[in-house]
Structures are given as C-alpha cells and as structure tokens.
Amino acid sequence: MLAEVPTTVRHKAEAERRFGDFATTYFEAMWAGDPLADAFVADFPALGHGKAMRMLKKACQAGVDSVPDAPASLRALFAQLDDVPEWLDLEVIDRDSAHIGRYTRQSGIVLGAASLVSGYANSAASRPLEMTGRYIENAGARTIEVGSWLVEVSKTGGLERFSSGFELTVRVRIIHALVRAALREDPEWDLGAWGVPICQAFLGYTLIEFCLIPIRGMRAIGAPYLPEEEAAAYARWRYLGHLLGIDETLLPRDREEQERLEDIYLLTRPPVDSYCRDLVASINSEFLVPEIECLLPARPARLRRAAKPVVHGLERVFLGDQIADELGIPQAPRTKRIIERVGPAIARVNAALDRYPRTLGPRTTLGERYRVKQDHRLRTKYAVQHDLVDESPGDGLPHPARA
C-alpha cells in the first residue's frame, strides 16, 4: 500500500483495509492535478491571460483547428476533449432526463443546502476557496455561478460538443487549473498537509456533490426522480467528470461507484476548521436564509422568523447530524422532524403524479418558467450578469481566473 499521504488525512489504515486497491488509487490522486489543463495554463504567461482564454473559448465554439497559432498544450487538451468515450450515449441521457425540470423548486433548495454545503466538511478541499478569498465576501454570486453551469449542462443538448454547457464545463476545468497554478506558487499552501490544490481525489467528489447527494436530497424532501432519470444523472455526471479531467481510474460509472467514492472521502477527509464553519455561516446568512424568507408569507411575522430553522433543519436532514455538528449548524430538532415526516408524504403524491406520463410535460413547463423567473430575480438582487468567475467584473478581490 501507499506509504505517504497528506498529513491531514485520517483513518488511512482503515481505508486500506476497507477499500483495498481503490484506497491506493484514491490516495495517489491527492498528489495529482490535471496534466492537460495544467500544461495549457503553464502557457498563459507567454500567451497572455486574455488571449489564452479567447483561444480556449474559440476552440470550444468552433474547434481547436479554428484557433490560429494554437499552442501544443491547447491541441493536446482538445484531443482529449474531442475523443468521445465509447460508453457515452447523449441521446439516452437527454431522453431519460427530459422532465427533471418539474422539480426546479426543490433542486434549488438541494443545491444550496446539500450540494454546496457538503463540500465544506473538508478543510483541505475548502482551502482553495479560502486562499482565493472570494466566497465568504459574495456567497450569493458564487452560488449563482454554480447554478448557471448546472442549468446549462442539464439541458437537453447541454452536453453536445458545441453547446454552452460543454464550453462552461471546459472553462470550469481551466479555472481549476488556474487556481491550482496560483496556489502551488503560494508559500502559504502546505503541500505536505493538503496535497495538490484541487487534487484529483477532491475533484472526484464534485460528482458526488452534484449527483449522488442531490438525488438523495430530492427524495428526502418529496421530489424523487424516476429510475431512468437517476440512471441518466449518473451517466451525465460520468461524462462531465471526463470533461473536467478526472482520471478514468477514479471516475465513478454508476451509483455504486459514487457511493464508494463518497465513503472513502468521508472516512479520510481532513477535519473541519473555522473557515469551513465560516463558509457555511456565510452561505446561510447571505443566501439561503434570505431566499427561504422570500418563499414564506410576510404575515404573520413569525413565519419569516422560521427561515433559519428551516434552513438548519434541511441541512441536518441532507448532511446528517455528525457533519452538521462539525460545521456548526445550529440544532433544529422540530423542523428536522417535520421535514423527515412530510418529505415521504409529498414523495408519495409526486410519485402518484409521475405514474401519469401526460402530467410530466406540463409540470416541466411550469418548472422552467419558475426557473427563468427566479434566475432573473437572483441576478438582479445580487448584481450578477456573468456566468463564471473568469467573466466576473471583479469585486475588489484578485482571483487567478480573471485577467
């Protein structure tokens, strides 16, 4: 077995006993970045940041052959991106997930209170957010950025080669590489303690955050996906992991492999620190609680005051009490019990509706209308008109992804 792991890793011996060779693969992944994306980013100083990003976008939109003087690193990156895996079937993915938009309201709740928060229970994985210094100051903006990406890649045709979802995913990959390059040069980055910034192991957990955890979370609050929709989600995120540069040895193919990756991640994750708790407090106070308040009637006033316990109860249902305690999420026993009791009842109603295929289209249309309306409202409220951080106008804080 592998002798050396980052010093913040916990329960190494137990992981090796439980997971065997996969533990070796996982621990080795903590020392690995993304060679193809990292090589292209290494050319940024010579190319110029702005020119390099324009080259990247043109290659996404028209193919790498359309880019004059494309460096070898960009051509190598797109050789991988343009090599469609034999296991990919976009037609089946689009067909089987055509109506997931009927649960737009619920998916927004799960994104904020489950997907994003779950990633903060790991101090090493959260460290890049801390050192780039952006999220606590503008939790709303970053949540909107993540949501923009997820909307595009979840659309019908959102994973096609020349779609905006494809381009956004490739840009996310390069943003990761830009942050990785900056932090590797930062004397405050403790390589021995945390491994490589945005390492393969923690990058792999991104798929858990946006696939396995949301599927469970949606079921918990009464919005269960159909079996074929769940299968399409695992297939979609397998391909997204491929586009994000996750090595095939770590890339989960289905629910069982996502669960295995989640299990070893949770077992060995570095302990929560004060910054992790600050991240959760920030997304709660600056985004989730105000958004829940908007959904509740203004009168009587006590209903608006229920927003905090509702958010805390949801997070405890989604994350479990142990992780919620570590993250400093306040207890909300009454709200949690209500969610745990009401969720299955709502799920039975939605499952009954789902048995009538003719209801799926109208419900999906309503969900899409709601999404468009909420997207406009949120972007206006938080003054966000860009898609990802590399296009953000700047908020007084430097970021490696911005020119």
Side-chain angles (χ1 to χ4, degrees), residues 97 99-115 150 154 208-226 229-230 233-234 237 314-315 317-319 339-340 342-351 354 363-364 367 370:
S97 55
H99 296 115
I100 59 173
R102 70 190 183 280
Y103 291 139
T104 296
R105 289 171 174 82
Q106 297 91 329
S107 64
I109 293 170
V110 171
L111 169 63
S115 295
L150 296 178
S154 299
I208 313 305
E209 290 180 85
F210 297 123
C211 184
L212 177 63
I213 288 174
I215 287 173
R216 283 199 305 242
M218 296 288 280
R219 191 181 303 122
I221 60 174
Y225 289 125
L226 296 166
E229 291 173 332
E230 291 192 10
Y234 291 114
W237 281 96
L314 286 166
E315 289 171 340
V317 168
F318 294 147
L319 305 178
I339 295 168
E340 290 173 334
V342 172
I346 298 175
R348 287 192 290 272
V349 172
N350 280 322
D354 287 348
R363 290 158 65 202
T364 301
Y370 177 83

Side-chain angles (χ1 to χ4, degrees), residues 74-323:
L74 185 64
R75 292 190 175 278
L77 174 64
F78 275 85
Q80 184 258 336
L81 291 168
D82 288 330
D83 184 15
V84 180
E86 61 180 17
W87 42 259
L88 179 66
D89 193 332
L90 291 179
E91 183 178 345
V92 170
I93 292 173
D94 283 344
R95 181 197 68 198
D96 290 347
S97 55
H99 296 115
I100 59 173
R102 70 190 183 280
Y103 291 139
T104 296
R105 289 171 174 82
Q106 297 91 329
S107 64
I109 293 170
V110 171
L111 169 63
S115 295
L116 295 178
V117 175
S118 69
Y120 305 150
N122 179 333
S123 56
S126 299
R127 196 72 60 181
L129 284 173
E130 177 180 8
M131 294 179 67
T132 54
R134 188 162 179 270
Y135 201 176
I136 283 183
E137 288 78 7
N138 203 340
R142 187 173 184 276
T143 305
I144 293 168
E145 290 166 0
V146 174
S148 298
W149 171 50
L150 296 178
V151 165
E152 290 300 321
V153 300
S154 299
K155 287 179 177 178
T156 298
L159 296 181
E160 295 288 349
R161 169 59 181 86
F162 297 105
S163 68
S164 61
F166 181 95
E167 178 185 331
L168 287 175
T169 303
V170 175
R171 283 168 56 199
V172 167
R173 181 174 180 177
I174 297 304
I175 290 167
H176 288 161
L178 286 163
V179 171
R180 190 181 301 116
L183 293 183
R184 275 178 155 165
E185 299 299 319
D186 192 324
E188 293 188 11
W189 183 265
D190 190 338
L191 183 67
W194 305 324
V196 167
I198 314 181
C199 66
Q200 284 280 321
F202 299 158
L203 184 59
Y205 187 72
T206 303
L207 309 190
I208 313 305
E209 290 180 85
F210 297 123
C211 184
L212 177 63
I213 288 174
I215 287 173
R216 283 199 305 242
M218 296 288 280
R219 191 181 303 122
I221 60 174
Y225 289 125
L226 296 166
E228 61 269 24
E229 291 173 332
E230 291 192 10
Y234 291 114
R236 181 183 302 277
W237 281 96
R238 183 184 181 188
Y239 184 49
L240 282 167
H242 171 79
L243 296 180
L244 287 170
I246 299 173
D247 190 89
E248 290 292 327
T249 60
L250 197 67
L251 184 62
R253 295 172 291 183
D254 51 28
R255 176 178 61 81
E256 289 75 14
E257 292 192 2
Q258 284 209 18
E259 289 175 339
R260 179 180 64 170
L261 182 55
E262 180 187 41
D263 287 345
I264 195 170
Y265 174 93
L266 293 177
L267 174 66
T268 62
R269 65 186 169 92
V272 165
D273 62 10
S274 60
Y275 181 74
C276 298
R277 289 184 282 272
D278 288 345
L279 275 173
V280 174
S282 177
I283 193 175
N284 283 347
S285 64
E286 300 298 324
F287 188 77
L288 292 178
V289 170
E291 289 308 307
I292 292 296
E293 285 177 343
C294 288
L295 298 177
L296 298 173
R299 297 178 183 276
R302 60 184 174 83
L303 288 179
R304 287 291 179 94
R305 291 196 296 271
K308 284 185 179 180
V310 166
V311 169
H312 301 152
L314 286 166
E315 289 171 340
R316 285 186 169 271
V317 168
F318 294 147
L319 305 178
D321 285 327
Q322 178 183 340
I323 292 178

